[in-house]
Amino acid sequence: MTTPFSAAVDAADTFDYVIVGAGTAGCLLANRLSADPRKRVLLLEAGKRDNYHWIHIPVGYLYCIGNPRTDWLYETAPTPGLNGRKLRYPRGKALGGCSSINGMIYMRGQARDYDRWADLTGDADWRWDRCLPDFLAHESHHSQDQASAEANPWHRGDGEWRVEKQRLRWDVLDAFALAAQQKGIPATPDFNRGDNAGVSYFEVNQRKGWRWNTSKAFLNPVKHRSNLVIRTQTQVEKLAIEKSPTEGWRCAGAWVVDGATNRRYAVGARTSAILSAGSIGSVQLLECSGIGDPVVLAQAGVEPLVNLPGVGENLQDHLQIRAVFSVKGVKTLNTMANSWWGKAMIGLEYALKRSGPMSMAPSQLGAFVKSDPSQPHANLQYHVQPLSLDAFGEPLHRFNAFTASVCNLNPTSRGSVHIQSPDSQQPPVIAPNYLSTDIDRKIAADSLRLTREIVSQSALENFQPEEVKPGIQYQTDDELARLAGDIATTIFHPVGTTKMGRDDDPMAVVDTHLRVRDGAGGVITGLRVVDAGVMPTITSGNTNSPTLMIAEKAARWIVENT
């Protein structure tokens, strides 16, 4: 007779809530759920603490992505839409998760994103007007810093999640913004009021020139709580899924491995285990635990327990197409940083003022536009940078240039994430399936044409921009779509792999309160997913802040047990 999981759990390792993943959502959940001193909360993180210096210097993302200290080092399968290329697929591995290595851009998306979620799921709690309070619940926005600041219905000043203006500007980006306006794209004072159409510098999650990750925001203020236990370098092997004749499936906790000692032990969850391991990690743990498509599980050597065919499906991501233009008569980071003297001056400015290129987010200027006038709303996002390189991680070019990266905000292509082994330490197969639909390929071609039209405006003519990549010789839809496949890369926004949905949606993994379904019309007691994987469709912009909003809602539901 198999020993019940409960018999393997030591009393000291039994908690009311077990949160798997101390990333964007997990840190907020740990803060909110441990506010009740009667509840014991365990936060598990496979990575190390966020005491690596490059996490906190904004430009340090260059040294965190592709670094095993802070990145899971995933890569995609060869992708037909990218002409057979594989891509790096960075995911944060440290306290703070992806908020420790991301672009720091504060972006809620568009009101229509959330109204669509409400329509797809049948739950009005996901409408924009009911999501906005959950964005505001944790916001600390620079516009509200002064005591005399005028009340702003769009922003709040006393939350944990700091939002500031960037601490630098560039002549070439100012000129691009003016060129965009000449093309008919209006300037906007605020991307975060529900309609982000327009052009402006991005606002960033920084405090006084330092990266502001979710570990600083949500864990540091409460880590002294005696009822909150934070364990780093601790990887979850699988969940403990048990079935009783009367209650059905229940998650009793998880089996974990201490990375420092290699000790395997059990942790119990009296009330709830919460997967916040992200769109890749949460899928992996569900499937390693026997929850998913039985065919996929059997092929990977896992005994199927709960038939949920949607696990790992519906992967969506923003694919950025990077057009590079050389310029003359204006400084860009390419030449500022191409000598030891230039690097020293950049370092000195940051040391003295916390400003300059070392305070940079990866992208400084943004624009939300229509790929063609017939579109009902802005369906493209630009990330414009005063630099250029052949590929991420490669050296900057030796000539002055800027990069105008553009992505389709609402891709129709869908991919998947699935395990290939019962070993949770083996990477899953990530197949994003980019540019697999005719509409996505058409929008890719249109977006490259629009970039050319913006750059051709008089505001930039003094800098004599010349297209280096992809090359002006490529003009037709087929040529541009193929070239997009050659030069495009992820912006690191994977979502949707554990999507929420209606009771009659066979591909819904969680219900609208993020409880994992049991495949038979009910839910698995004591198990939720709270991360970007639950999004049924991707938001129209960067996905970090929407993930925090989701966690804010979920924390309330978990406390209320609803």
Side-chain angles (χ1 to χ4, degrees), residues 14-15 44 62 77 119 170 178 187 200 255 294 371 398 419 462 537 550 562:
T14 301
F15 298 83
L44 298 172
L62 291 169
D119 292 341
W170 299 83
L178 183 56
S200 181
W255 290 101
S371 60
R398 304 290 291 181
I419 59 171
N462 286 343
T537 54
I550 290 169
T562 60

Side-chain angles (χ1 to χ4, degrees), residues 65-84:
I65 292 175
N67 182 344
R69 168 67 176 79
T70 48
D71 183 359
W72 282 93
L73 302 181
Y74 294 132
E75 67 174 15
T76 70
T79 302
L82 301 186
N83 304 321

Side-chain angles (χ1 to χ4, degrees), residues 464-485:
Q464 303 175 53
E466 292 187 11
E467 185 174 322
V468 175
K469 197 175 186 179
I472 199 67
Q473 67 270 32
Y474 304 106
Q475 293 289 335
T476 69
D477 281 1
D478 286 345
E479 288 175 334
L480 291 175
R482 179 174 58 81
L483 264 294

Side-chain angles (χ1 to χ4, degrees), residues 164-237:
E164 294 189 345
K165 291 182 178 180
Q166 295 190 63
R167 300 169 73 85
L168 74 168
R169 53 164 296 278
W170 299 83
D171 289 343
V172 71
L173 298 189
D174 292 345
F176 188 97
L178 183 56
Q181 292 171 60
Q182 291 174 338
K183 176 58 184 166
I185 302 163
T188 180
D190 189 347
F191 281 132
N192 287 297
R193 296 180 179 180
D195 180 359
N196 53 20
V199 60
S200 181
Y201 278 86
F202 289 120
E203 294 177 320
V204 291
N205 295 121
Q206 294 181 8
R207 183 179 288 279
K208 298 181 179 179
W210 298 100
R211 175 189 289 274
W212 195 245
N213 67 354
T214 55
S215 174
K216 290 179 183 175
F218 299 103
L219 289 187
N220 283 359
V222 302
K223 61 185 180 183
H224 64 279
R225 290 175 177 168
S226 61
N227 64 321
L228 174 60
V229 176
I230 303 169
R231 295 179 185 170
T232 55
Q233 295 181 263
T234 304
Q235 186 158 348
V236 175
E237 279 192 338

Side-chain angles (χ1 to χ4, degrees), residues 256-320:
V256 303
V257 175
D258 183 322
T261 65
N262 209 34
R263 181 175 73 94
R264 183 177 188 262
Y265 64 100
V267 295
R270 279 188 290 260
T271 301
S272 188
I274 304 143
L275 290 183
S276 295
S279 295
I280 309 303
S282 290
V283 168
Q284 188 170 26
L285 290 174
L286 288 171
E287 291 189 333
C288 284
S289 307
I291 301 170
D293 185 328
V295 175
V296 171
L297 300 181
Q299 288 175 343
V302 174
E303 179 188 359
L305 299 179
V306 178
N307 182 355
L308 277 186
V311 173
E313 296 297 314
N314 194 47
L315 174 62
Q316 299 157 61
D317 189 14
H318 288 140
L319 183 73
Q320 63 174 343

